[in-house]
Amino acid sequence: MQLFYTPDIEPTHPQYFLSEEESKHAIRVLRLETGSEVQLIDGKGGFYTAVIHDAHPKRTILNITSVTEGFNKRSHHLHIAVAPTKNIERLEWFLEKATEIGIDEVSLIISQRSERKEAKVDRLSKIITAAIKQSIKAYHPVLNEPVKLSELLSRPFDGQKFMAHCEPGKKLSLRNELILQSRYLILIGPEGDFTPTEIETALQNGFKPITLGESRLRTETAALEACFEVNFLNRI
């Protein structure tokens, strides 16, 4: 299967022109020819089958043969807010794997102990795009610009809100707390964890403290564990 990401495609149009970059990849790299069948995803749930009408290396023309809306749409919505790791490759790893497993939105949060205060969202989004093509997903997760934790905590969210942290105290299990087929926002802190003040503020804003197991996990591992648990529990 040769899959292309085409976010500007219109479901009602019978033809589509691949971008110059994708055209070059299709014709020069993959050696596709006129008559070759390809698949397209628009990042909004659309999955398309098309046939190459004109195999031009700069402007390949496709004839759309079928459209599936809501392709493999999931029963829940998962938003993970995670502090960017000092080693950006660890964050990239999380984004790739979480996209493959299933995630809808990622917010990059800056907290008091964050060692990284910024991240290049454009570059990180390309990693997500590559991952949806690899895993054949028609929905492209949203990646938000870095935001201060205090600002994110004050934003309204219609769903369940959780916070994973390493401070002592009673913590809940997602297995026991999760309302299935719902919306979830989960906070994952930086390498130095959230501060006690940040934890208290989150609790005051309706977040529930959760445990992700007995092991002390790296930031990106904790975020991926939360992603896996939510998706596993929502399997039907």
Side-chain angles (χ1 to χ4, degrees):
M1 177 186 293
Q2 305 299 343
L3 187 66
F4 297 90
Y5 177 51
T6 54
D8 59 341
I9 193 171
E10 294 290 340
T12 57
H13 288 186
Q15 283 192 334
Y16 179 78
F17 295 82
L18 282 180
S19 66
E20 182 173 347
E21 181 182 358
E22 290 282 45
S23 293
K24 181 179 179 181
H25 182 67
I27 308 308
R28 299 296 192 202
V29 179
L30 298 176
R31 305 289 184 181
L32 299 178
E33 301 174 343
T34 297
S36 297
E37 185 177 86
V38 298
Q39 279 71 40
L40 316 171
I41 48 176
D42 62 10
K44 301 179 284 289
F47 182 88
Y48 304 72
T49 297
V51 174
I52 295 179
H53 175 71
D54 183 6
H56 195 286
K58 289 189 176 181
R59 192 172 171 78
T60 296
I61 302 176
L62 305 176
N63 287 337
I64 309 301
T65 58
S66 69
V67 182
T68 301
E69 296 290 346
F71 179 75
N72 285 345
K73 185 175 182 179
R74 301 183 311 139
S75 63
H76 59 284
H77 182 98
L78 174 58
H79 179 181
I80 289 186
V82 57
T85 50
K86 183 177 181 180
N87 182 344
I88 197 64
E89 292 181 356
R90 291 179 177 171
L91 177 62
E92 293 172 354
W93 176 85
F94 161 70
L95 292 173
E96 178 183 74
K97 302 310 176 187
T99 300
E100 292 177 10
I101 292 172
I103 195 168
D104 301 282
E105 186 173 358
V106 177
S107 289
L108 304 178
I109 52 173
I110 309 303
S111 62
Q112 293 183 33
R113 292 174 178 169
S114 292
E115 296 191 61
R116 176 178 288 275
K117 305 292 185 181
E118 58 183 21
K120 296 180 179 179
V121 172
D122 288 345
R123 169 180 166 78
L124 296 174
S125 290
K126 290 180 180 178
I127 291 172
I128 293 175
T129 300
I132 66 170
K133 293 166 69 175
Q134 164 66 32
S135 53
I136 316 178
K137 290 191 174 357
Y139 291 90
H140 194 294
V142 174
L143 178 62
N144 298 315
E145 293 282 349
V147 62
K148 290 184 178 180
L149 174 63
S150 57
E151 180 179 339
L152 185 136
L153 292 178
S154 65
R155 293 176 180 174
F157 179 77
D158 182 21
Q160 290 189 282
K161 301 189 292 186
F162 302 103
M163 172 186 250
H165 66 80
C166 299
E167 288 290 314
K170 181 181 179 181
K171 296 169 191 171
L172 309 170
S173 167
L174 284 174
R175 180 181 59 187
N176 298 326
E177 293 297 318
L178 218 62
I179 298 174
L180 299 184
Q181 301 180 25
S182 185
R183 294 171 57 86
Y184 318 104
L185 171 57
I186 301 178
L187 303 181
I188 305 293
E191 284 91 337
D193 201 8
F194 294 113
T195 66
T197 299
E198 289 172 333
I199 294 171
E200 181 59 31
T201 301
L203 298 184
Q204 292 173 357
N205 280 275
F207 285 83
K208 295 181 179 180
I210 58 169
T211 176
L212 296 173
E214 298 300 322
S215 300
R216 184 172 65 180
L217 305 176
R218 291 182 183 273
T219 293
E220 71 278 9
T221 311
L224 190 64
E225 171 65 19
C227 179
F228 169 78
E229 286 194 29
V230 169
N231 281 283
F232 180 79
L233 291 170
N234 273 283
R235 286 182 182 175
I236 57 174

